[in-house]
Amino acid sequence: VITKVKARQILDSRGIPTVEVDLYTNKGMFRASAPSGATSGMYEAIELRDGDKGTYLGNGVSRAVKNINEKICEALVGMDPTLQAHVDQAMIDLDKMEKKNELGANAILAVSIAACKAGAAEKEATDLSGKTNLNLPVPAFTLISGGKHAGNNLAIQEIMILPVGAKKFEEAVQMGSETYHHLKAVITEKYGAHECNVGEDGGLAPNVARHVFREGLDLVKEAIDRTGYKERIKIALDVAATDFCIGTKYDLDWKSPNKSGLNFKSVEDMIEMYKELCTDYPIVSIEDPFDKEDWDHVKYFSGLGICQVLGDDLLMSNPKRIERAIRETACNALVLKVNQVGTVTEAIEVVKMAKDAHWGVVVSQRSGETEDSFIADLSVGLATGQIKAGAPCRGERLAKYNQATKVIELTGTLKHEGDGVAAVIGLD
Ligand code: PGA
Ligand code: ZN
């Protein structure tokens, strides 16, 4: 049983306060912490911040910590941590708000994850899916960062690689790391070492010029060529197009101080551009290709069947939006961010919804992360098939990839081994 829950404020990978929890049972102490995004949307659970501008610029989480140490601790002591749904429901009932803003989604999530770890230790298992044969996910490594995650002029948020031809997770990590280092060399040769700074999730962040998509993609393609892995590595994009949608246009120069207005694209231009890019580069997955409220064009684009179309800002891991997207066949894969939905139980529920609709599922990090590696276990435990945890670089990103590598020592092979990309992205 849960004997004590104790929280504290720590700093995340951006140096911004977040919540860490120690949950005690008869089996020991189980620790978890909450991540935080840069593109937080209005449909996601709300993290509680102090708002006192004199302390941590208003970002302190002492109220969330206090809520755990007093209210949540009192409600949970004596409960069985293997009954995850009961533990999570107790916190939802205590909070009463749809977006968990009373106790704070950061408080609730950290406790929920700690309880999951405690429950797993009790059951001596990490499997949440009820299956005995665990599959490891294909990692999406961020190689180039842009958008809100970096200070360069790249409009889109991430250019990632998927080592779909890897036979083992370890090999996928090796392929990701080697490509990353080749990319660093390519950028150094082309622009100089000063363009090798990194973005929030460890992706390299060179200032790429005019044809922002193509120049970044050419760099990545060159790096893949240098590895010799050829078609065993595919490319994925997170466009995060909501960030640069102005009315009905998309401003590819949105981060430039002297906006020329010459790089505005209509939604039709964007569709044409994606089609061309998918022909010219081995792109198999595109996340948020349009504004988060533009359901019609996402539907049209995913209907073309060119690539996996991921809903992140579109869905915000929100069950109502996922349900609508399934009903309207708006996209064909879910980005699951546990802190957007707020508890492990609700995360499992939305993964189930997505799987029942034969969607792909990517368990995802946030740009503000901690060393907590739980999402790796979640991805393996729910057999989601894909995980997105940033670059193969920086401790808080590697915590997840390294954890997945350790899980392979217990069991499992890479999901869809040898099946090719179509199976990986659910288009077969
Ligand atoms: P965020 O973005 O964590 O900064 O919101 C991550 C993503 O868009 O995948
Ligand atoms: Zn995204």
Side-chain angles (χ1 to χ4, degrees):
V1 297
I2 297 172
T3 54
K4 185 169 136 189
V5 190
K6 183 177 176 339
R8 67 181 65 82
Q9 177 170 290
I10 58 164
L11 296 187
D12 71 12
S13 59
R14 277 196 270 258
I16 293 174
T18 190
V19 178
E20 182 177 80
V21 171
D22 293 348
L23 184 142
Y24 294 82
T25 69
N26 319 354
K27 290 258 182 201
M29 187 269 281
F30 302 90
R31 180 168 286 164
S33 49
S36 179
T39 56
S40 305
M42 60 213 240
Y43 296 97
E44 64 177 88
I46 295 173
E47 52 190 27
L48 186 63
R49 298 213 175 260
D50 297 341
D52 162 18
K53 293 278 177 225
T55 312
Y56 283 110
L57 292 83
N59 289 316
V61 292
S62 68
R63 286 194 291 151
V65 166
K66 193 160 180 266
N67 286 341
I68 294 174
N69 290 340
E70 294 172 4
K71 296 181 190 154
I72 294 179
C73 179
E74 195 189 319
L76 263 46
V77 165
M79 287 188 84
D80 177 352
T82 64
L83 303 175
Q84 181 83 44
H86 290 205
V87 171
D88 290 342
Q89 194 59 48
M91 291 191 283
I92 291 167
D93 292 345
L94 198 60
D95 186 276
K96 297 191 187 71
M97 307 298 284
E98 194 185 335
K99 293 187 188 168
K100 305 183 174 62
N101 44 315
E102 184 64 35
L103 297 171
N106 40 1
I108 293 177
L109 177 72
V111 177
S112 179
I113 293 175
C116 185
K117 292 179 183 179
E122 207 78 40
K123 289 188 277 187
E124 294 176 359
T126 51
D127 186 16
L128 301 166
S129 65
K131 293 192 190 124
T132 47
N133 186 12
L134 296 186
N135 283 319
L136 285 173
V138 175
F141 294 114
T142 309
L143 285 209
I144 293 191
S145 294
K148 281 192 177 166
H149 289 177
N152 57 359
N153 58 8
L154 181 63
I156 72 165
Q157 191 179 280
E158 286 164 78
I159 301 177
M160 291 164 276
I161 54 161
L162 305 177
V164 295
K167 296 262 182 289
K168 291 179 164 182
F169 197 82
E170 271 169 277
E171 193 188 358
V173 169
Q174 182 187 337
M175 290 162 83
S177 164
E178 289 172 3
T179 315
Y180 185 87
H181 289 287
H182 278 296
L183 178 65
K184 202 166 174 177
V186 173
I187 294 171
T188 306
E189 286 161 28
K190 209 169 157 154
Y191 305 101
H194 53 84
E195 292 296 336
C196 287
N197 296 328
V198 301
E200 302 263 331
D201 46 7
L204 292 153
N207 239 344
V208 289
R210 269 282 159 255
H211 296 289
V212 281
F213 286 77
R214 287 195 179 266
E215 195 159 348
L217 283 163
D218 286 339
L219 294 169
V220 170
K221 202 163 167 245
E222 167 77 26
I224 295 171
D225 287 347
R226 288 193 190 186
T227 64
Y229 288 121
K230 300 198 168 101
E231 64 282 352
R232 295 175 68 203
I233 296 183
K234 302 293 177 189
I235 295 178
L237 304 177
D238 182 358
V239 180
T242 306
D243 294 338
F244 55 97
C245 179
I246 322 269
T248 57
K249 300 258 195 238
Y250 292 89
D251 180 7
L252 294 187
D253 271 343
W254 70 285
K255 290 161 73 183
S256 157
N258 355 295
K259 292 177 197 243
S260 60
L262 295 174
N263 227 352
F264 270 54
K265 300 245 182 253
S266 68
V267 72
E268 289 77 22
D269 296 338
M270 295 290 278
I271 292 169
E272 275 318 301
M273 185 178 68
Y274 293 137
K275 282 190 196 163
E276 284 171 22
L277 293 176
C278 288
T279 312
D280 297 347
Y281 302 91
I283 296 172
V284 296
S285 176
I286 302 184
E287 181 172 332
D288 291 324
F290 309 104
D291 180 72
K292 67 178 186 326
E293 300 304 336
D294 189 354
W295 295 79
D296 293 345
H297 286 103
V298 184
K299 178 185 162 92
Y300 170 77
F301 184 65
S302 59
L304 298 177
I306 301 173
C307 63
Q308 171 177 264
V309 179
L310 277 162
D312 172 19
D313 300 336
L314 176 80
L315 305 172
M316 289 171 236
S317 307
N318 178 302
K320 290 193 188 124
R321 290 180 72 93
I322 296 168
E323 199 242 316
R324 174 174 173 192
I326 291 170
R327 192 170 7 100
E328 297 183 11
T329 59
C331 57
N332 54 41
L334 166 72
V335 173
L336 170 75
K337 291 168 168 170
V338 276
N339 77 324
Q340 287 190 322
V341 53
T343 61
V344 173
T345 304
E346 290 160 291
I348 294 171
E349 279 162 16
V350 294
V351 167
K352 202 167 174 307
M353 282 170 79
K355 286 189 161 199
D356 287 349
H358 306 289
W359 279 17
V361 179
V362 183
V363 172
S364 171
Q365 60 165 7
R366 300 308 304 260
S367 47
E369 269 295 339
T370 72
E371 57 273 35
D372 194 318
S373 59
F374 176 73
I375 59 165
D377 296 292
L378 188 75
S379 178
V380 175
L382 295 178
T384 62
Q386 300 176 67
I387 184 169
K388 175 182 172 185
C393 159
R394 306 288 138 189
E396 75 283 1
R397 313 295 147 184
L398 288 169
K400 284 71 168 170
Y401 296 130
N402 288 339
Q403 173 67 8
T405 305
K406 276 169 250 181
V407 179
I408 202 174
E409 290 171 9
L410 302 174
T411 181
T413 52
L414 200 72
K415 188 172 166 67
H416 307 299
E417 183 182 331
D419 287 352
V421 183
V424 172
I425 63 174
L427 289 177
D428 56 333

